[in-house]
Amino acid sequence: MNETVLIALYALMGAAAAGVLGAAVLLPLRRRSVTASLAVVATVAVGAMLAGTLAVAWAMFLSPHDLAVVTTVVAMAAVVSLATALLLGRWVVARSNELRLAARSFGDGGAFAAPDGPTTAELAALSGELAATSARLAESRERERTLEASRRELVAWISHDLRTPLAGLRAMAEALEDGVAADPDRYLRQIRTEVERLNGMVGDLFELSRIHAGTLALTPARISLHDLVGDALAGADPLAREHRVKLVGTSVEAVPVEVDSTEMSRVLGNLLVNAIRRTPADGTVAVAAERSGNGVVVVSVSDGCGGIPEEELPRVFDTGWRGSDARTPPAGAGLGLAIVRGIVEAHQGRTAVRNIPGGCRFEVTLPAARR
């Protein structure tokens, strides 16, 4: 037993010396190619075995012939190990270079395509993460392009909508100033109407800017959906009478919700105004509110607009969207539905729209109040 322990100690001392030397060589090479690191590791492994063998041989006084045999065997093992390490290193480096070249497509705005051929588990995992990141970046770029197109469209619509009433206001003001207005009172009433319209447009822009900037301050309070919808119907009733549209709100449950009543009234008001203006005379706009599964409530507004083209449904809540048949006025600046989505999402809810027979149905899903 003592002899075995002594042999182990001599072998450990020789191998440790080789290991320390290998670590000293590997330290300055840690930023180099993995091929160099693998070659050093293979050399250290064989060197440690050789050093331990030589230490034991010296302690045991082996014959020169036996020592030469052992040294030759270890040297051949070193050659094979080093060759294997170099081949493995070159293969890993080649796969890494292929992955690096494929990753350059990110900067060029393209999609990531994983290199063909076998690779290590780590490189395969990295390739999978790069592919997932590429997909997210592609979605982000597409979303940015859509938002930019919406912004350009919004600027064009707003410029048009502002130019028309401002030109009319200037003409009426000049007529009043020159004393050539046939009916000054009618001109004053028209000026007031146009000013209120412009004020509403500026208010919508301000509200939308707060939503996009994330500065929309909410003051949630517990309120019944029945009361909230009832107030919204009462506010929209004059417009409905003017357009000869029937408002129906009989399917509204008294479900409690915790919302900012002012902002949520704006949501329902925008949806009702949009539905009334899009519904032909003698049509019906129906409002419903009910508790759904998973602790949420759904408020819906159904109109008789005839439906929205399927290709335009994903853009309904985008800023500046007014539909292919939009007119000015009463189409508006395309801000109402964007404001609806922003306010609902600020309440941790979601919006949706789908076509129904004869029209479309806008849905607002909100978390139900805790009991």
Side-chain angles (χ1 to χ4, degrees):
M1 181 63 66
N2 291 335
E3 183 178 344
T4 302
V5 173
L6 186 61
I7 291 173
L9 288 175
Y10 276 109
L12 179 61
M13 291 171 57
V20 171
L21 181 61
V25 174
L26 191 60
L27 187 62
L29 296 177
R30 65 186 184 278
R31 298 184 183 275
R32 298 293 185 87
S33 172
V34 69
T35 304
S37 299
L38 286 175
V40 171
V41 170
T43 304
V44 168
V46 177
M49 184 173 61
L50 178 60
T53 301
L54 292 176
V56 172
W58 174 79
M60 299 300 294
F61 301 104
L62 292 181
S63 65
H65 177 269
D66 293 340
L67 184 59
V69 170
V70 172
T71 304
T72 302
V73 172
V74 173
M76 293 301 102
V79 171
V80 174
S81 299
L82 185 59
T84 303
L86 290 174
L87 289 174
L88 177 61
R90 289 177 63 86
W91 180 77
V92 172
V93 168
R95 299 286 84 77
S96 300
N97 287 334
E98 291 177 359
L99 194 59
R100 176 174 56 85
L101 292 175
R104 285 184 179 178
S105 59
F106 286 109
D108 299 332
F112 174 79
D116 296 329
T119 184
T120 64
E122 292 78 10
L123 290 180
L126 178 59
S127 179
E129 290 295 328
L130 288 175
T133 302
S134 175
R136 289 193 294 270
L137 286 175
E139 292 176 1
S140 177
R141 285 192 293 266
E142 181 61 29
R143 186 163 53 250
E144 182 63 27
R145 283 193 291 267
T146 302
L147 289 175
E148 184 61 28
S150 297
R151 281 191 289 267
R152 288 196 298 267
E153 187 178 23
L154 173 62
V155 170
W157 281 113
I158 289 293
S159 300
H160 180 272
D161 288 356
L162 288 176
R163 186 181 297 111
T164 301
L166 287 175
L169 287 172
R170 183 172 62 181
M172 287 184 287
E174 290 175 353
L176 290 172
E177 184 179 8
D178 296 339
V180 297
D183 187 353
D185 291 339
R186 183 176 66 84
Y187 275 46
L188 290 174
R189 288 194 298 270
Q190 185 64 28
I191 288 175
R192 180 182 179 87
T193 300
E194 293 296 337
V195 169
E196 289 179 351
R197 177 166 168 256
L198 290 174
N199 183 66
M201 189 182 302
V202 172
D204 285 346
L205 285 171
F206 180 68
E207 181 80 355
L208 193 63
S209 67
R210 289 198 303 165
I211 292 172
H212 287 171
T215 58
L216 181 63
L218 300 178
T219 307
R222 191 182 185 91
I223 187 172
S224 171
L225 263 183
H226 187 275
D227 296 337
L228 195 63
V229 173
D231 292 342
L233 289 172
D237 186 64
L239 182 65
R241 292 179 180 274
E242 179 184 345
H243 287 76
R244 293 186 298 161
V245 172
K246 182 180 179 181
L247 287 179
V248 178
T250 56
S251 302
V252 180
E253 297 182 11
V255 181
V257 290
E258 290 185 3
V259 297
D260 187 312
S261 58
T262 302
E263 296 295 340
M264 198 52 60
S265 294
R266 183 165 193 162
V267 166
L268 294 176
N270 285 358
L271 291 176
L272 286 171
V273 168
N274 183 72
I276 292 170
R277 287 177 172 173
R278 298 288 182 173
T279 300
D282 299 325
T284 300
V285 172
V287 183
E290 59 184 357
R291 185 187 297 272
S292 183
N294 302 323
V296 298
V297 296
V298 179
V299 182
S300 63
V301 177
S302 303
D303 59 33
C305 67
I308 300 173
E310 291 294 332
E311 64 274 10
E312 293 189 12
L313 282 177
R315 293 196 56 209
V316 166
F317 293 99
D318 288 351
T319 302
W321 182 87
R322 313 209 303 187
S324 57
D325 61 341
R327 297 178 303 277
T328 306
L335 304 180
L337 293 179
I339 291 173
V340 166
R341 180 173 64 179
I343 294 175
V344 171
E345 290 181 351
H347 284 85
Q348 307 303 314
R350 62 182 185 273
T351 56
V353 60
R354 57 188 176 88
N355 287 322
I356 59 175
C360 57
R361 174 186 172 100
F362 288 84
E363 295 181 348
V364 172
T365 303
L366 296 169
R370 297 179 180 177
R371 295 183 182 273

